[in-house]
Amino acid sequence: MAIGAALGCASVIGVAVRRRSGVLRDAKAPVNAQQDNSDLGLSATGPTVVHFSAEWCGPCAAVRRVVDQVCADLPEVAHVELDIDANPTSAKRLSVLSLPTTFIFDADGRQRYRTAGVPKAADLQTALRPLLTSEL
């Protein structure tokens, strides 16, 4: 009986974690305006999608495909992929705890959204469109 309860509890936790995977969340925490993001390679002319990946991360290739598709549809959006093993300081500063982790920064370098897991192309486009200067 205890095994059944443990399996049930683990299943509920697994479903909850899986449900949040890939969902874009607003960056509601106050972002330090003085934070130096120069190491991220952000665009100064439009929004930038930054995602942390690694060679050993299987789902990271799926994020790359999704972001490439979105950037092809929205050419004003820049795409930066950072290897977590080569950029541990940036990952730590942005509190990257799992891969893949994707961020959306606006043209002023402010973090607007983040997600862990593989985001949906439609969700990325919905978040990015209001950030495009041509549509303001």
Side-chain angles (χ1 to χ4, degrees):
M1 189 137 123
I3 294 174
L7 287 174
C9 184
S11 296
V12 169
I13 291 171
V15 167
V17 169
R18 181 91 169 132
R19 182 171 287 157
R20 289 185 57 130
S21 180
V23 176
L24 287 173
R25 296 183 308 269
D26 286 325
K28 295 185 185 211
V31 176
N32 182 354
Q34 303 302 319
Q35 186 175 24
D36 180 16
N37 287 327
S38 60
D39 58 333
L40 300 179
L42 302 178
S43 170
T45 60
T48 305
V49 177
V50 175
H51 81 272
F52 282 86
S53 64
E55 285 186 34
W56 45 265
C57 171
C60 294
V63 173
R64 186 178 312 113
R65 286 189 300 273
V66 169
V67 174
D68 285 344
Q69 173 192 345
V70 169
C71 290
D73 293 341
L74 302 171
E76 305 92 339
V77 177
H79 174 203
V80 177
E81 181 175 358
L82 297 172
D83 186 301
I84 195 168
D85 295 324
N87 299 282
T89 304
S90 301
K92 183 177 180 181
R93 186 179 73 245
L94 293 170
S95 301
V96 176
L97 301 175
S98 64
L99 292 180
T101 298
T102 305
F103 297 89
I104 296 177
F105 289 88
D106 64 19
D108 295 324
R110 292 182 303 238
Q111 180 185 329
R112 302 295 292 270
Y113 298 94
R114 78 176 285 153
T115 185
V118 181
K120 294 180 181 158
D123 292 344
L124 284 177
Q125 289 176 342
T126 299
L128 287 163
R129 286 191 192 280
L131 302 178
L132 298 174
T133 55
S134 62
E135 294 185 19
L136 293 178

